[in-house]
Amino acid sequence: MENNHQKIIFSGAQPTGSLTLGNYIGAIQNWKALEKDYQCLYSIVDLHSLTVRQDPKEFQKTCLSFLVQYLACGLDPEKNILFFQSHVPQHTELSWILNCYTYLGELNRMTQFKEKSQKNKDNINSGLYSYPVLQAADILLYQTNIVPVGEDQKQHLELCRDIALRFNQAHGDTFAIPEHRIPKVGARIMSLQEPDKKMSKSDDNVNGTIFLMDTEDIILKKMKRAVTDSENKVLYSDEQPGIKNLITIYSTVGNISIEEVVKKYDGKGYGAFKKELAEVIIEGLRPFKEKYQDYMNNMDFVETVYKRGAERATEIAERTMKEVRSKVGLLTK
Ligand code: AMP
Ligand code: TRP
């Protein structure tokens, strides 16, 4: 391991669509804060995305664009190991073995599977079903201690821990048992249009989602259209879920506390609040946009990042796989 005393962090995101403000606040912003104190691995989990049909040419572009978006969010490729899941075949190898330690009853309970099979009724494939097992393999390969992801991934994380404990019990300590880390504020950024639904890359209503790549005009428009309520008071309360969500976004992107946001807009209406929030987001995303262009113009560098990332990840993953193969009784070549 790069540093034996450092705790290991692993997280991943699927390369589909384009990163959203929800991804940024709920995941990447926190990843960045962790790079100082931990050995972090961040993977673009391209194999997970194949559970839904992808156009091969578009998919390649999206995968690269995702890595560039990570870099543009400020993730340091020296401090962090950034790589594509499919470049480290140990993920699929471990996934198979862990499938044999996972019960159907456990997979049947996964809400993400239920949601996704509702959405893709014509393609409920077995990859979609065993998706959480591949996710468990991603995490366990690296002896991960902490998995920083949004609240929506809690169930998958619990399953991962159960699989790890089951394997350890059968074969002796093999995997570290990972902990879930959810950000205190912003764990669940909601849709601007339907504040009871998570802001998502794949929402049919694009007005509900702010993408990191959105232009300033679009951000302003989406903000103006954001659903609020009739109170016209900037208050942080469950009764006003639309406004509550906007305050959360303001607080996390603008780097000020919820209380300060509420105080700042005391006595002011929604119009002013939304307009200024759009400005906060536009300003907050400016460095991202600039860096994105710089990296896109320097694809040679981007290539070295993911090749080196795969090398570093493989080294750690292979160490775990050697132990797993031997523990389950597979012969060495
Ligand atoms: P996904 O976009 O579903 O591939 O998720 C990538 C990462 O971003 C995961 O860690 C999610 O938990 C997190 N995430 C996605 N959407 C949101 C959201 N609306 N609010 C907070 N975190 C999110
Ligand atoms: N399932 C996660 C999501 O939809 C993505 C993911 C795959 C992941 N493997 C992972 C997240 C490992 C954390 C750790 O967001």
Side-chain angles (χ1 to χ4, degrees):
M1 221 138 292
E2 313 249 323
N3 177 343
N4 277 327
H5 306 295
Q6 255 177 345
K7 284 202 166 175
I8 311 287
I9 297 228
F10 184 99
S11 198
Q14 290 194 58
T16 45
S18 178
L19 287 178
T20 71
L21 201 59
N23 295 132
Y24 184 70
I25 296 171
I28 300 165
Q29 214 177 36
N30 303 297
W31 297 358
K32 218 166 43 187
L34 297 165
E35 68 186 19
K36 286 194 300 304
D37 302 320
Y38 300 90
Q39 175 58 68
C40 305
L41 296 108
Y42 297 120
S43 182
I44 294 168
V45 292
D46 44 8
L47 296 170
H48 274 111
S49 297
L50 296 183
T51 53
V52 176
R53 289 277 174 274
Q54 306 289 342
D55 173 79
K57 278 220 177 82
E58 272 308 303
F59 188 50
Q60 274 190 349
K61 272 197 218 146
T62 309
C63 287
L64 278 176
S65 156
F66 256 71
L67 179 61
V68 173
Q69 289 177 66
Y70 278 6
L71 292 169
C73 285
L75 292 179
D76 181 335
E78 287 300 317
K79 292 197 182 120
N80 303 294
I81 301 180
L82 305 175
F83 68 106
F84 292 107
Q85 181 189 35
S86 63
H87 289 179
V88 182
Q90 283 81 354
H91 286 247
T92 38
E93 186 184 1
L94 182 59
S95 174
W96 176 258
I97 295 178
L98 297 183
N99 261 308
C100 305
Y101 289 78
T102 309
Y103 299 121
L104 295 190
E106 291 175 312
L107 294 179
N108 287 339
R109 281 199 293 276
M110 296 293 122
T111 51
Q112 187 171 305
F113 171 70
K114 288 181 203 163
E115 279 165 23
K116 288 202 176 169
S117 28
Q118 275 294 322
K119 262 197 177 166
N120 304 283
K121 281 207 172 92
D122 54 341
N123 183 19
I124 307 178
N125 59 69
S126 69
L128 202 58
Y129 188 63
S130 57
Y131 174 116
V133 185
L134 180 58
Q135 179 164 353
D138 297 340
I139 296 166
L140 299 178
L141 265 182
Y142 300 99
Q143 305 296 338
T144 301
N145 304 108
I146 301 167
V147 185
V149 276
E151 200 178 69
D152 60 334
Q153 293 301 311
K154 193 161 175 251
Q155 205 184 25
H156 287 166
L157 238 292
E158 276 163 11
L159 176 66
C160 170
R161 287 165 59 91
D162 289 343
I163 298 173
L165 287 166
R166 187 171 303 143
F167 192 97
N168 284 354
Q169 204 157 36
H171 302 288
D173 272 355
T174 309
F175 299 120
I177 307 299
E179 312 243 328
H180 191 195
R181 180 175 294 184
I182 303 181
K184 281 190 196 71
V185 181
R188 208 170 158 83
I189 299 298
M190 310 311 276
S191 154
L192 303 180
Q193 291 297 314
E194 292 165 85
D196 56 337
K197 239 177 70 184
K198 175 181 108 150
M199 180 182 283
S200 157
K201 286 175 199 149
S202 52
D203 197 333
D204 295 332
N205 186 349
V206 290
N207 286 325
T209 305
I210 291 194
F211 294 99
L212 300 188
M213 308 290 289
D214 277 347
T215 62
E216 299 187 1
D217 281 355
I218 291 185
I219 293 176
L220 197 58
K221 254 188 223 145
K222 286 183 178 174
M223 224 7 101
K224 276 191 186 152
R225 284 193 198 152
V227 166
T228 48
D229 50 63
S230 53
E231 298 286 322
N232 210 24
K233 284 193 189 113
V234 180
L235 281 179
Y236 191 76
S237 112
D238 288 337
E239 265 107 79
Q240 293 166 260
I243 276 294
K244 185 179 172 191
N245 187 40
L246 297 185
I247 296 174
T248 306
I249 296 176
Y250 199 120
S251 161
T252 45
V253 181
N255 228 340
I256 66 171
S257 70
I258 301 272
E259 293 75 23
E260 281 170 289
V261 180
V262 173
K263 209 163 129 206
K264 192 166 169 182
Y265 291 94
D266 183 26
K268 297 187 189 160
Y270 290 157
F273 172 64
K274 285 182 169 184
K275 185 162 170 286
E276 285 174 35
L277 172 54
E279 281 158 16
V280 166
I281 297 172
I282 289 166
E283 272 320 301
L285 293 183
R286 201 181 297 282
F288 166 84
K289 295 245 170 70
E290 286 167 7
K291 282 196 212 143
Y292 184 84
Q293 269 323 317
D294 288 349
Y295 286 118
M296 284 307 265
N297 294 334
N298 194 354
M299 284 317 267
D300 287 349
F301 173 73
V302 174
E303 195 177 312
T304 62
V305 168
Y306 68 74
K307 289 199 165 151
R308 178 82 189 110
E311 268 171 27
R312 292 164 79 192
T314 302
E315 203 186 308
I316 307 172
E318 182 52 22
R319 220 171 300 155
T320 301
M321 265 330 289
K322 275 210 173 80
E323 196 179 336
V324 170
R325 288 184 208 113
S326 138
K327 286 209 162 141
V328 299
L330 296 169
L331 289 169
T332 43
K333 283 195 273 201

